[in-house]
Amino acid sequence: MENCFVDCHCHISANEFEEDLEEVIKRTREASVKTLVAVTEEVGEFTRVLQLQDSYPDLVAPCFGVHPLQASGGLSYAAHRIKLYDLDAALTQFYDHKERLVAIGEIGLDFTPWCAPTQQDRDDQMSVFIKQLSIAKELDLPVNVHSRSAAKVTIETMREQGISRALLHNFAGKPSIALEGVKAGYLFSFPPAVCRSQQRNKLIKQIPLEHICLETDSPALGPDKHVRNEPSNITLPCCYIADIKGLSPQTVRLVTAQNAYRLFPKANGCTSDM
């Protein structure tokens, strides 16, 4: 384990990887990435994630989740504002494939003003979020969570719903809010994009390493926002976090991998033969 990385949040099923997936996987393995925790944003991705696990059973660890923002007909990302009925098609699949899932995700809340301009939009997101949290509890799975402009309410909601195992991905809330999550036992992950500025240095410094994981969120949030990100870039946040904390990259790699497998135990030694 000490020689491997775990990418705790990536979109390997994204269309951006279709043309050269074999090369991307090759670079992923060459970068010593042992596990890709593969999240989804909508029901249409569920089958693709399972197919990828079938193709790469030692690498891809599938998650099912419905994101608070949904693309619609090739239009803008937030063109379709989430409603509870958007979960209808997903419900049976959560249960049918529960043995193969390592987590429920990507789920969460996005209260960015242009994404959730009304209270009704925020209420709809909350209904979908709480329903998926209840499924995670029922299936005894951790959650892989998006929390943009909603850090405090996301953590409070998970605590109220009795969630004990959660990853808050690409977390950008205040350190004081993050520490409330730490108290609840939650983990936080950071993608290569954190290397572009020093905005989250204070946050990363204050979160104990035992509560940090690594992610790429590929194909988004790479070192260059105009270039497709991929899992092999996992080395970048590792080195960045090591520098902020005054630790060696090897220590960060070891501890974050241990954290990841503690949170996602079914991802350790992924296999589709479940």
Side-chain angles (χ1 to χ4, degrees):
M1 185 187 292
E2 52 278 348
N3 293 319
C4 78
F5 290 102
V6 179
D7 186 345
C8 277
H9 186 105
C10 71
H11 299 266
I12 197 65
S13 61
N15 293 336
E16 288 89 337
F17 292 123
E18 278 188 9
E19 288 189 8
D20 63 341
L21 181 63
E22 283 294 334
E23 288 80 6
V24 170
I25 295 296
K26 184 172 183 288
R27 288 190 290 271
T28 297
R29 295 189 190 279
E30 288 172 348
S32 298
V33 179
K34 182 184 174 188
T35 304
L36 299 178
V37 179
V39 296
T40 65
E41 294 183 345
E42 53 192 36
V43 184
E45 289 182 88
F46 288 8
T47 299
R48 176 63 176 156
V49 165
L50 295 182
Q51 289 171 343
L52 289 170
Q53 191 197 32
D54 288 338
S55 298
Y56 309 102
D58 61 328
L59 181 67
V60 175
C63 307
F64 283 1
V66 176
H67 193 281
L69 307 178
Q70 297 284 290
S72 179
L75 300 175
S76 68
Y77 182 49
H80 171 67
R81 305 192 196 286
I82 195 82
K83 304 283 186 185
L84 200 54
Y85 64 71
D86 289 303
L87 276 181
D88 290 348
L91 292 177
T92 57
Q93 296 203 52
F94 285 123
Y95 296 98
D96 289 347
H97 301 288
K98 62 184 180 182
E99 297 302 324
R100 294 180 64 172
L101 301 181
V102 303
I104 301 299
E106 179 175 0
I107 65 174
L109 301 172
D110 195 315
F111 290 173
T112 313
W114 57 89
C115 296
T118 69
Q119 184 61 45
Q120 185 61 55
D121 292 324
R122 294 189 285 276
D123 290 346
D124 287 341
Q125 283 192 26
M126 184 65 79
S127 296
V128 173
F129 184 40
I130 288 175
K131 178 61 178 175
Q132 292 185 98
L133 292 177
S134 73
I135 292 168
K137 283 197 300 180
E138 186 178 346
L139 299 181
D140 193 25
L141 291 171
V143 288
N144 207 318
V145 179
H146 173 101
S147 59
R148 190 165 65 162
S149 300
K152 190 171 191 291
V153 67
T154 300
I155 289 173
E156 286 176 350
T157 300
M158 291 196 297
R159 294 184 76 166
E160 288 167 2
Q161 296 299 315
I163 297 297
S164 59
R165 295 181 294 153
L167 178 76
L168 288 125
H169 105 95
N170 187 34
F171 190 79
K174 295 177 182 176
S176 59
I177 295 172
L179 292 176
E180 286 301 308
V182 168
K183 284 182 193 173
Y186 304 153
L187 279 73
F188 301 81
S189 58
F190 300 96
V194 294
C195 307
R196 292 193 221 133
S197 74
Q198 299 180 344
Q199 283 184 320
R200 281 184 268 186
N201 288 19
K202 183 180 178 184
L203 173 66
I204 291 170
K205 188 172 285 190
Q206 291 198 30
I207 298 175
L209 184 60
E210 290 69 28
H211 287 264
I212 291 178
C213 290
L214 302 177
E215 65 158 294
T216 61
D217 199 29
S218 50
L221 299 185
D224 182 337
K225 60 178 159 185
H226 303 296
V227 176
R228 182 191 70 177
N229 187 22
E230 59 181 69
S232 60
N233 286 326
I234 196 84
T235 56
L236 300 175
C238 177
C239 291
Y240 191 77
I241 290 166
D243 187 53
I244 290 172
K245 289 189 168 292
L247 301 168
S248 70
Q250 291 80 9
T251 296
V252 172
R253 179 169 58 177
L254 170 64
V255 176
T256 55
Q258 290 173 335
N259 296 342
Y261 290 133
R262 186 174 73 248
L263 179 62
F264 305 117
K266 289 172 69 177
N268 194 356
C270 324
T271 176
S272 59
D273 296 322
M274 292 182 175

